[in-house]
Amino acid sequence: MRMALILLALAPVFAAAQEEGHWINLFDGETTYGFSQLGDVPWAVESGALVGANGSGGMLATTSQFTNFELTAKIRLKAECTSGLVVRSPLSGHPTENGAAVIWLTEAKDSKSPWHDITVRAAGNKLEATLDGKKVDGFASSNAKGYIGVLYHHNGDAKVEVSEMKLRPLGLSPIFDGKSLTNWNILPDHKSVFTVVDGAINIKNGNGQIETSALYKDFLMQTDIFSNGEHLNSGVFFRGPVGVFWKGYESQVRNQWIGDDRTKPVDFGTGGNYGNLPARKVVSSDKEWFQKTIVCDGNHMATWINGYLASDFLDTRPVNKQDNAKEGYVTGPGTMHLQGHDPTTDLSYKNIGVQVYPAD
């Protein structure tokens, strides 16, 4: 908790009102990427839905933790089945005892198994939820952050389906005011030129970096990016040591792939964790704005591009004492910085917001 308070004190706030972020998809409609399975239920994707069946019990949980957010989901149960959606949940313990907030779902014997619409809003200690438009009573959590999961309870021939699950972070604090480079530091003796153009930080010319004056360890960050050229190279670095060139983790920016196959990124691709895990698909394109979302929480880092989970990296390597994430785990906290890569660089970053995660 002490670390969380320190980071909050260091983080600059440019506006009294905090912002709602972009929506991200927790389920991509095609794979179980971004989820982990607890228990013996063999979750799979069938006809565009996550399906859990033929098990005795467990939970399908996100690999990322979230703190303040809006969530929407669509869930269907077979008749005579019981399930539940949990938020701010640990990965251990029963959801009635581990501080998670739970929305229980049951289907009667004669049910026609309709799709149920669920909404959740979690903002600090205030949690609200609806099930098919009706308020869920007693919806509360004692946890400040946690995983989002779908419960599976064995009850005869049980079956649970999820066709949609998406999330929008709440309470993002702007760390760029759209007018100046206040609270950002340019690393000296490098060639990059940093200016504010049309409400965005524009980066041109050779290599360099501009870094936050605040330090961050565990967080969710969102920004809009524009690459004004073909296959330009840049990146969002995080957990970087103050004033040190290109260290920490790098969330790559490079909209290039092999041939016509976006699942074959060049140089790790936009959304890849550079040096560690390539993007599984390059979904963004040059000369159009795209959104990047980064979650960094302990040794887990995930990146969404335009709402699509491009990389999901769990760093199990030994700690690297030089803060070089290409060679080992970087514990943080550190700066976030934007990279100027080479003489062709011409990229812009705007709407940069951060949600600082509470300490475990």
Side-chain angles (χ1 to χ4, degrees):
M1 183 60 70
R2 183 180 180 185
M3 178 61 73
L5 293 173
I6 292 172
L7 296 182
L8 284 169
L10 288 172
V13 178
F14 293 103
Q18 294 183 322
E19 300 177 351
E20 298 175 343
H22 299 296
W23 287 95
I24 59 175
N25 291 308
L26 303 183
F27 171 47
D28 62 15
E30 299 176 343
T31 72
T32 59
Y33 195 75
F35 288 93
S36 59
Q37 176 183 308
L38 287 77
D40 65 352
V41 182
W43 290 87
V45 178
E46 299 175 7
S47 302
L50 285 165
V51 179
N54 303 316
S56 61
M59 178 173 71
L60 186 72
T62 58
T63 53
S64 296
Q65 296 194 81
F66 300 96
T67 176
N68 296 324
F69 56 85
E70 288 184 346
L71 175 78
T72 64
K74 292 183 181 293
I75 299 178
R76 180 166 65 182
L77 311 179
K78 191 175 179 179
E80 296 187 90
C81 290
T82 299
S83 180
L85 178 74
V86 297
V87 303
R88 290 190 181 171
S89 177
L91 296 181
S92 61
H94 193 276
T96 61
E97 299 175 336
N98 62 13
V102 188
I103 302 167
W104 292 105
L105 301 96
T106 59
E107 291 295 346
K109 183 176 181 179
D110 58 351
S111 173
K112 295 182 180 180
S113 299
W115 285 102
H116 295 288
D117 292 311
I118 297 173
T119 69
V120 174
R121 183 179 177 89
N125 294 326
K126 185 177 181 180
L127 277 72
E128 301 173 315
T130 65
L131 175 59
D132 297 327
K134 297 180 180 180
K135 181 181 177 181
V136 177
D137 294 327
F139 187 70
S141 172
S142 59
N143 303 325
K145 70 175 180 180
Y147 300 90
I148 296 167
V150 180
L151 301 174
Y152 178 99
H153 290 277
H154 178 67
N155 185 8
D157 187 19
K159 183 178 181 181
V160 181
E161 298 175 84
V162 182
S163 66
E164 176 186 296
M165 189 181 291
K166 61 182 181 180
L167 176 146
R168 173 170 65 174
L170 300 176
L172 290 169
S173 296
I175 61 172
F176 166 56
D177 63 9
K179 300 176 182 179
S180 70
L181 299 180
T182 301
N183 290 309
W184 289 79
N185 301 318
I186 298 172
L187 202 67
D189 303 321
H190 290 274
K191 296 180 179 180
S192 290
V193 176
F194 301 92
T195 57
V196 178
V197 180
D198 296 329
I201 297 177
N202 178 253
I203 309 173
K204 281 188 171 70
N205 298 338
N207 65 36
Q209 75 184 42
I210 184 170
E211 64 185 31
T212 58
S213 57
L215 305 180
Y216 302 90
K217 183 179 187 294
D218 297 334
F219 60 86
L220 181 150
M221 178 263 203
Q222 288 192 328
T223 184
D224 299 338
I225 306 172
F226 190 93
S227 174
N228 190 30
E230 186 175 356
H231 310 323
L232 300 185
N233 197 327
S234 182
V236 178
F237 284 70
F238 51 96
R239 289 192 183 173
V242 176
V244 180
F245 190 53
W246 291 5
K247 288 292 178 70
Y249 293 93
E250 178 186 359
S251 178
Q252 174 72 307
V253 175
R254 185 164 180 171
N255 300 322
Q256 187 177 6
W257 50 91
I258 297 174
D260 296 325
D261 190 349
R262 285 179 176 259
T263 66
K264 296 180 178 178
V266 171
D267 200 22
F268 289 84
T270 297
N273 191 307
Y274 193 85
N276 298 312
L277 184 67
R280 61 187 182 124
K281 182 189 292 186
V282 181
V283 299
S284 53
S285 299
D286 292 322
K287 298 188 178 180
E288 62 183 41
W289 286 100
F290 61 91
Q291 292 85 43
K292 171 174 283 196
T293 302
I294 300 171
V295 166
C296 176
D297 181 31
N299 67 334
H300 176 253
M301 297 95 188
T303 300
W304 287 259
I305 303 297
N306 289 341
Y308 177 86
L309 183 55
S311 65
D312 191 64
F313 178 57
L314 187 66
D315 198 342
T316 58
R317 301 169 298 170
V319 171
N320 182 268
K321 296 181 179 180
Q322 288 73 46
D323 295 319
N324 185 352
K326 298 179 184 64
E327 296 181 359
Y329 176 47
V330 175
T331 59
T335 67
M336 294 186 196
H337 62 263
L338 310 178
Q339 179 193 49
H341 188 269
D342 56 65
T344 68
T345 297
D346 185 0
L347 291 101
S348 295
Y349 294 81
K350 68 178 182 179
N351 299 327
I352 309 173
V354 175
Q355 183 188 71
V356 175
Y357 275 20
D360 290 329

